Amino acid sequence: MLGNDLERYRYIDRGSMFSYLAAISLYFITFAIPFAGNLFGTWLALTLNIFKAQTDGGFSSLRLQHWKNFLKLHIKNNGDLEVYSIGLHRVPRHWVKDPLWGGGGGSNSVPKKDSWSFY
């Protein structure tokens, strides 16, 4: 089925095309996709741990609780794009409710300070 002659593909019946696509799909699902995933994961692990590079990709795939980063994109009315990069080195694990905060969402219950604190 390989070749540059596109006229040959007009005469392929549906059964042959279906069996060909099923075989190729089975190959990709069982061999190519897991191999590529393992190869990419190994590359990230080596570059992160041995060469001390690719830290963004390596940390995102390690599922660490800390070191979270994201971008906030804001488009102004005049069309300008503002990009805010936000990165947290440590995220809180234990939350303590502020006893002075009353909760709720009304305008009378605006807290005087933040409603959370770290241990």
Side-chain angles (χ1 to χ4, degrees):
M1 297 196 71
L2 299 175
N4 294 332
D5 187 14
L6 297 178
E7 289 295 320
R8 292 190 324 178
Y9 295 115
R10 289 187 183 188
Y11 303 111
I12 297 175
D13 62 309
R14 289 181 188 217
S16 297
M17 184 57 82
F18 179 77
S19 63
Y20 173 75
L21 291 176
I24 291 297
S25 299
L26 183 64
Y27 163 75
F28 272 101
I29 290 171
T30 57
F31 295 112
I33 294 173
F35 178 74
N38 285 330
L39 183 67
F40 185 68
T42 303
W43 173 72
L44 274 179
L46 288 176
T47 56
L48 178 64
N49 294 321
I50 295 175
F51 301 117
K52 306 298 183 203
Q54 302 288 341
T55 55
D56 291 339
F59 278 116
S60 67
S61 63
L62 289 177
R63 294 186 183 178
L64 296 176
Q65 182 178 4
H66 301 292
W67 300 93
K68 302 296 179 190
N69 301 298
F70 63 93
L71 295 176
K72 179 183 177 186
L73 305 175
H74 176 68
I75 300 175
K76 293 182 177 181
N77 291 334
N78 63 358
D80 290 345
L81 175 66
E82 289 182 342
V83 179
Y84 300 98
S85 61
I86 300 170
L88 301 174
H89 295 288
R90 308 270 309 158
V91 295
R93 285 199 253 168
H94 304 287
W95 294 81
V96 177
K97 183 175 179 184
D98 186 0
L100 300 176
W101 186 64
S107 61
N108 295 336
S109 64
V110 176
K112 302 261 191 272
K113 62 178 193 168
D114 292 332
S115 63
W116 52 268
S117 64
F118 295 109
Y119 266 60

